[in-house]
Amino acid sequence: YKDVSTVDLNVLRFVRPTGSTSIEIAKLAGVSKQAIAKSIANIEAKGYIKRRENADDGRSQIIVFTAKGMRLLQTSIAA
């Protein structure tokens, strides 16, 4: 996982396995919504997370791990 930066890991640690909104992640990470949006886009481009529609709130999206992201998560936990 050489393409994962420390910044990426600091964002990914706040994504729940069931998914999180970007606002939830920003609050937990202590950064602005704008900063987290940029990080999420970067991590999504690497294939570790994806966005899906939020069934509870059509205005937001849920950030979830992809299969690649779940493998990273499992590797990180095992380390």
Side-chain angles (χ1 to χ4, degrees):
Y1 301 102
K2 294 180 181 182
D3 62 337
V4 179
S5 70
T6 303
V7 173
D8 296 341
L9 291 173
N10 283 332
V11 172
L12 289 170
R13 69 188 181 122
F14 295 116
V15 179
R16 294 187 312 250
T18 56
S20 303
T21 66
S22 59
I23 293 172
E24 291 169 335
I25 297 168
K27 285 180 183 177
L28 291 169
V31 299
S32 70
K33 291 183 284 186
Q34 294 80 4
I36 213 68
K38 184 177 178 182
S39 292
I40 287 170
N42 182 42
I43 299 166
E44 184 178 27
K46 294 177 183 179
Y48 292 101
I49 56 175
K50 63 182 178 180
R51 302 168 205 241
R52 69 168 194 226
E53 289 187 28
N54 185 345
D56 297 329
D57 182 356
R59 299 169 296 168
S60 68
Q61 296 176 321
I62 301 291
I63 310 303
V64 296
F65 286 103
T66 61
K68 181 179 179 181
M70 288 303 291
R71 287 192 300 273
L72 172 65
L73 180 64
Q74 292 168 348
T75 301
S76 297
I77 292 170

